[in-house]
Amino acid sequence: MKLPDKRCPLHDAIARIKDGDTVMVGGFGVPGTPMTLIHALVEHGARDLTVIKNDANEPGMGVDHLLQSGQVARLITTHLGLNSHAIALMNAGRIKVEFNAQGILAERIRAGGAGIGAVLSDIGIGTELAHGKQIVEMAGVPYLVEPALRADVSLIHADCADPFGNLVYVATAQNFNPLMAMASDCVIAEAERVVPLGGIAANDVHSAGVFVDHVVELGELSEEYSVVQR
Amino acid sequence: MSNANERMIARAAREIAPGMVVNLGIGLPTQVVNHLSSDFPVCLHTENGLTGIGPVLGPDRADRNLIDAGGAYVSTVPGSAFMDSAASFSIVRSGRLDLTMLGAFEVSADGDLANWKIPGKFSPGVGGGIELAQKARRVVVLTTHTDRAGQPKLKHRCTLPLTARGCVSRIFTDLAVIDVTARGFVLVETATGVTPSQVANATDAPLIVPDATPPSF
C-alpha cells in the first residue's frame, strides 16, 4: 500500500475558494503566515470572505493584502494592534470585526476540528466581551458558551511536508496552524520543503496528513517571509 | 527611558521568585527581563507558543520564525519548548502561570484592570491579555503613575472597559509600589526622593500609608 499524493499546483488549490467562503489563515505575525497562498487568493479574487486569523499582520504584509483588496467582509480575530490599515477599515465600517480572547479563539477552532459543538469558558465574564453570549451553569459556576468554529478552507504554512500532507512546523511558526489544519472542509498547506513519503519520521509529524487536502511546495521564499526590519 | 521608569522596572524584577513560570506583557513589562541574570532559574512564557524565552536578538542574528507575542525576535535557552496556541493558553488558564506583569490604562482600588480599549480612540482587540489577567496566579501591573495628561491611573473605579475584575495584586509605578488589598490601595514602598503624600496626591482613590516610613527603591 502507498499513501496518496496530494501535491497540487498553487492556483489549482486556491481555485477551491468561492465567494462568500469562510477562510482560516494560520500565523501569528510573520511566523506561520502562508504568504504565498494569501497572494494567490488575492489574484484569484474570491470576495465577501469571512477570514479567521489571530492578527492582521502589518500594513502591506500577509493578510493585509486581502483586506486592502476589499475581499474580506468579516474578520474574526484577537488583535489588530500592528496593522493601522485594518483598524482604519474597521473604524470606517468597511470590514466587520469580531474580537475573541486569543486562547478562546484557539479553543473554538480546536473544537471545530474535533467535531465538538462548543466549549464552555469563564474567560471574559463580567466584561463587555461576554455581551450577547449564552451563559450556562455547571455545578453552580457560570460559563460562557463559545461556539466551535469551522471554515470552508484553511490556509496553512508548514516548514516541511510530505506528499500525503504530513506537516512539520518550526519554532513559533506553529501557533494556530495545527489547530486550523483540522478545522476546515478543505485544508491547503504550503510547505517550504516537500520530502518523499517516509522523509518525515512518523514520530515527528505535527499535523497528520489525513487532515490535509492539498500540498503546495514553495519555491524561493519571497521577502515577505523575512525578518521584519523595524 | 527616564531613571524613574528604569528603577520601577528593576524593582519589579525582584518580584520574580526562583522557579516561577512568568509571562511578561507587551510594553514596560517586557523590559523586566533585562534585570534578570542569565543564571536565574525562571521559565518565561510567551502566548504565541514558547516556554523558555532567551535574549532578544538583533536583525542580523534573528530567526524569522522565532518571535514573542509582541513581535520581538527572541531566542531559546537550553530546555525551551514550542507549542501551538491552544497548548500555550492551556498553561495560562489551568493555573500553571505563576505570575504575569501587565501594563494598564487604569487600575481600581478593587483590583479591576482596564488595559485593552479606549472607546473611540484605541480598540485593537484584547489579544491574550484577558486570559493572562483573569487566570495567572498572581497579576502585577507596571505603569507610570499618571497618564500623559497627568491624570491618575490608579482610581477608585475604572471608567474604561475592563480586562478583568479584581485581578491585580500589586502595582509598580515610577512613584511607588502599591498593594491592592481588601481595604483598598496600601503604600508599600516609595521611589527614591518621593514622599507618601506625593504618591497620595497622584492617586485618585484613598491610599493607606503605614505609620512607619516605607522603604524606598
Side-chain angles (χ1 to χ4, degrees):
Chain A
M1 278 178 292
K2 187 182 172 197
L3 289 165
D5 187 342
K6 300 173 186 172
R7 285 175 293 178
C8 181
L10 171 63
H11 293 282
D12 292 359
I14 292 297
R16 294 279 305 266
I17 302 174
K18 308 176 301 297
D19 288 356
D21 272 359
T22 296
V23 181
M24 288 184 181
V25 183
F28 188 124
V30 169
T33 298
M35 305 289 185
T36 302
L37 297 180
I38 291 168
H39 274 286
L41 179 52
V42 171
E43 286 172 25
H44 169 59
R47 302 188 65 82
D48 196 26
L49 302 174
T50 294
V51 168
I52 303 172
K53 188 181 190 302
N54 173 64
D55 58 279
N57 293 112
E58 297 177 46
M61 296 171 61
V63 83
D64 185 57
H65 296 296
L66 271 179
L67 301 177
Q68 298 303 319
S69 65
Q71 291 169 265
V72 180
R74 190 160 163 253
L75 180 61
I76 298 174
T77 188
T78 78
H79 196 270
L80 306 177
L82 290 178
N83 190 340
S84 54
H85 286 171
I87 290 174
L89 287 170
M90 172 179 72
N91 290 340
R94 288 176 56 200
I95 52 169
K96 203 174 160 207
V97 176
E98 177 195 313
F99 287 119
N100 285 244
Q102 199 164 89
I104 298 305
L105 182 66
E107 288 303 320
R108 293 180 66 192
I109 295 166
R110 181 155 74 167
I116 289 167
V119 291
L120 301 181
S121 147
D122 63 352
I123 296 299
I125 279 193
T127 76
E128 70 173 50
L129 267 101
H131 289 176
K133 289 181 180 166
Q134 186 187 345
I135 294 179
V136 299
E137 277 200 12
M138 295 251 301
V141 180
Y143 292 96
L144 301 175
V145 177
E146 300 282 1
L149 283 170
R150 278 192 69 85
D152 298 294
V153 179
S154 283
L155 305 182
I156 302 300
H157 177 88
D159 176 62
C160 185
D162 67 20
F164 183 56
N166 290 311
L167 304 178
V168 176
Y169 311 101
V170 293
T172 58
Q174 189 171 162
N175 56 65
F176 282 81
N177 278 301
L179 307 168
M180 292 177 169
M182 297 193 290
S184 289
D185 298 342
C186 172
V187 174
I188 305 171
E190 61 170 47
E192 298 187 20
R193 295 174 294 135
V194 178
V195 297
L197 288 172
I200 303 171
N203 267 328
D204 295 340
V205 171
H206 287 149
S207 285
V210 71
F211 290 108
V212 176
D213 296 285
H214 302 295
V215 175
V216 174
E217 182 166 13
L218 296 172
E220 194 178 333
L221 296 182
S222 70
E223 191 58 30
E224 229 170 301
Y225 291 92
S226 304
V227 170
V228 181
Q229 307 289 335
R230 294 196 179 89
Chain B
M1 177 171 305
S2 72
N3 280 341
N5 281 2
E6 203 50 63
R7 279 204 302 274
M8 161 177 72
I9 292 164
R11 171 61 188 87
R14 289 195 272 126
E15 194 74 3
I16 299 174
M20 279 184 163
V21 180
V22 179
N23 183 299
L24 300 173
I26 296 167
L28 290 174
T30 306
Q31 299 175 40
V32 169
V33 72
N34 301 330
H35 295 271
L36 298 175
S37 71
S38 60
D39 60 351
F40 187 83
V42 64
C43 174
L44 298 179
H45 164 260
T46 185
E47 301 95 287
N48 59 321
L50 167 61
T51 49
I53 308 175
V56 173
L57 301 177
D60 51 325
R61 292 175 56 215
D63 176 344
R64 65 185 166 86
N65 288 311
L66 181 43
I67 62 173
D68 68 12
Y73 289 94
V74 295
S75 55
T76 54
V77 294
S80 291
F82 297 118
M83 66 206 76
D84 67 37
S85 295
S88 184
F89 277 92
S90 298
I91 291 170
V92 178
R93 290 192 310 268
S94 70
R96 287 278 167 188
L97 187 63
D98 297 304
L99 173 69
T100 189
M101 297 193 173
L102 300 173
F105 298 146
E106 296 176 337
V107 183
S108 83
D110 296 330
D112 295 350
L113 173 66
N115 75 351
W116 76 281
K117 183 175 183 179
I118 302 173
K121 283 189 185 167
F122 178 83
S123 56
V126 70
I130 193 166
E131 287 157 283
L132 292 170
Q134 194 176 326
K135 292 295 187 179
R137 288 188 175 275
R138 181 168 167 82
V139 178
V140 302
V141 159
L142 264 78
T143 179
T144 54
H145 208 93
T146 55
D147 66 18
R148 283 177 193 161
Q151 295 302 309
K153 289 181 153 196
L154 280 60
K155 294 169 127 61
H156 182 58
R157 284 213 164 74
C158 293
T159 58
L160 296 170
L162 294 184
T163 310
R165 289 185 187 279
C167 61
V168 177
S169 297
R170 176 168 275 197
I171 307 159
F172 299 92
T173 79
D174 48 336
L175 300 185
V177 178
I178 291 172
D179 275 351
V180 178
T181 72
R183 298 179 296 146
F185 290 132
V186 174
L187 183 64
V188 178
E189 297 175 26
T190 53
T192 303
V194 174
T195 65
S197 64
Q198 284 175 303
V199 180
N201 288 339
T203 303
D204 190 20
L207 179 69
I208 299 168
V209 179
D211 293 335
T213 306
S216 61
F217 64 91

